[in-house]
Amino acid sequence: MSKKMNSIARFKHYDTLLSCPICHTAMAITDSAICEQGHNFDFSKQGYLNLLVQNNATHYDKELFESRRELITESAFFTPLLERLTTIINTYHQTKPLTLVDGGCGEGSHVAYLKETLGDKLAIAFGTDIAKEGILSAAKHYPTVSWLVADLANMPFANQTIDIILNILSPANYKEFDRMLTQEGCVIKIVPQSNYLKELRHYFFADTTKADYSNDDTVALFEGQFPDFTRETINYTTQLNAQQLSHLLHMTPLTWNLEEDLIQQFITKSDGIITADFEILIGKK
């Protein structure tokens, strides 16, 4: 079965979870996705569904997403974080398999890892991103997840249908998240802490405001939506080789406006030890 037909079959099985991004009525899956009002959306040959109401320009291109995928799959930079997320989701008690959405999934490597490791714990995993290039890469490499090009401000899911929403180093839309969550559902948001990528900050931005980072505003917004949220931290270092450092430097927004010569100087001089410093915020509906 082709990627497209395999994706259509999976979407068809769970089409009651979907909602039209234009009129917000229920959707049915045939060889395309069509809502009660007749709005129709085609599957790509790679199997993803584009549910953007209008095209949106982003700063993200194919090179960025490939760098991110290769960093995640070829190094251990995110592995301890993903292992911890696997444990957290495994403790989620429910009588039926879970529905999960990664909102702002990029090229999809995080949610694909979780779908593989959690197995039957997840009934279905969706990855959504506004950047078509990211979802194209995701659909190409990870056929077990259901991929959608979609806007966080207008998510294509019916009310109270999603058990777990992931939001990993990405913007959030808590109004939409709250609408989508089941009564027992939760949002798991990952935000950087002050030491995240400190080696890059100290090298490129010493004596500037970018040398330091605080997530206080982001946490305050989360707390405003989920007053009884829980939080935990995870901090570790990873040794990256020159190629992996290059992937990291081309992925992170910290270096997007830097000259390539300066980036290469860092790669040459660095010992490859990079700090990962995250806070995991868990908010229940």
Side-chain angles (χ1 to χ4, degrees):
M1 186 181 294
S2 69
K3 285 184 178 180
K4 179 177 179 178
M5 296 308 297
N6 183 60
S7 178
I8 289 173
R10 187 168 55 248
F11 269 95
K12 185 180 294 186
H13 192 67
Y14 292 99
D15 62 1
T16 57
L17 304 179
L18 300 176
S19 174
C20 176
I22 298 174
C23 65
H24 309 293
T25 61
M27 302 190 77
I29 304 296
T30 55
D31 57 349
S32 63
I34 186 167
C35 77
E36 294 174 355
Q37 298 298 319
H39 299 118
N40 195 37
F41 304 88
D42 292 327
F43 285 87
S44 72
K45 67 179 181 180
Q46 295 85 7
Y48 68 82
L49 192 57
N50 190 336
L51 293 178
L52 277 186
V53 176
Q54 61 184 23
N55 290 327
N56 292 275
T58 73
H59 298 290
Y60 311 117
D61 57 18
K62 180 179 179 180
E63 181 182 358
L64 182 147
F65 288 120
E66 284 304 305
S67 290
R68 174 174 145 145
R69 186 184 67 82
E70 291 178 17
L71 176 68
I72 295 170
T73 58
E74 296 178 9
S75 79
F77 185 71
F78 286 104
T79 302
L81 173 64
L82 292 171
E83 290 175 344
R84 182 58 192 150
L85 289 178
T86 301
T87 300
I88 291 170
I89 295 171
N90 261 324
T91 63
Y92 192 104
H93 297 291
Q94 188 148 320
T95 56
K96 60 181 181 62
L98 302 170
T99 54
L100 180 148
V101 170
D102 184 354
C105 68
E107 83 327 318
S109 298
H110 293 322
V111 66
Y113 173 97
L114 293 171
K115 181 67 175 76
E116 180 179 354
T117 55
L118 288 163
D120 292 341
K121 181 78 172 181
L122 300 182
I124 189 167
F126 295 97
T128 76
D129 203 282
I130 200 170
K132 181 180 175 180
E133 286 289 351
I135 296 300
L136 178 61
S137 176
K140 177 181 177 181
H141 292 102
Y142 306 117
T144 62
V145 176
S146 297
W147 303 108
L148 305 101
V149 183
D151 189 345
L152 282 174
N154 186 24
M155 295 286 271
F157 298 99
N159 296 346
Q160 298 187 18
T161 54
I162 305 302
D163 296 309
I164 296 177
I165 299 175
L166 295 176
N167 192 231
I168 303 174
L169 303 178
S170 170
N173 188 299
Y174 296 127
K175 181 179 179 181
E176 280 293 271
F177 290 176
D178 183 68
R179 178 187 64 77
M180 293 157 53
L181 281 178
T182 60
Q183 284 300 319
E184 300 300 321
C186 71
V187 173
I188 304 175
K189 183 172 179 62
I190 310 302
V191 296
Q193 291 203 106
S194 59
N195 286 324
Y196 181 63
L197 304 183
K198 67 178 183 180
E199 295 80 9
L200 277 61
R201 293 181 183 278
H202 294 168
Y203 184 87
F204 294 115
F205 306 110
D207 302 321
T208 74
T209 56
K210 285 189 177 182
D212 299 305
Y213 173 79
S214 170
N215 66 17
D216 291 348
D217 291 344
T218 302
V219 174
L221 283 173
F222 192 88
E223 184 176 13
Q225 182 65 43
F226 305 103
D228 297 324
F229 79 107
T230 59
R231 62 201 297 184
E232 61 179 84
T233 61
I234 180 168
N235 179 293
Y236 54 90
T237 59
T238 304
Q239 179 110 37
L240 303 180
N241 62 33
Q243 185 63 54
Q244 292 162 353
L245 277 176
S246 179
H247 292 323
L248 175 65
L249 288 162
H250 287 96
M251 178 193 81
T252 174
L254 273 174
T255 59
W256 284 356
N257 295 319
L258 297 179
E259 296 292 333
E260 186 65 26
D261 286 349
L262 189 59
I263 291 174
Q264 291 303 319
Q265 287 174 19
F266 175 83
I267 294 172
T268 300
K269 294 179 180 180
S270 174
D271 61 5
I273 296 175
I274 301 294
T275 300
D277 189 19
F278 304 107
E279 188 158 23
I280 304 172
L281 311 177
I282 305 171
K284 294 187 177 180
K285 189 177 177 73

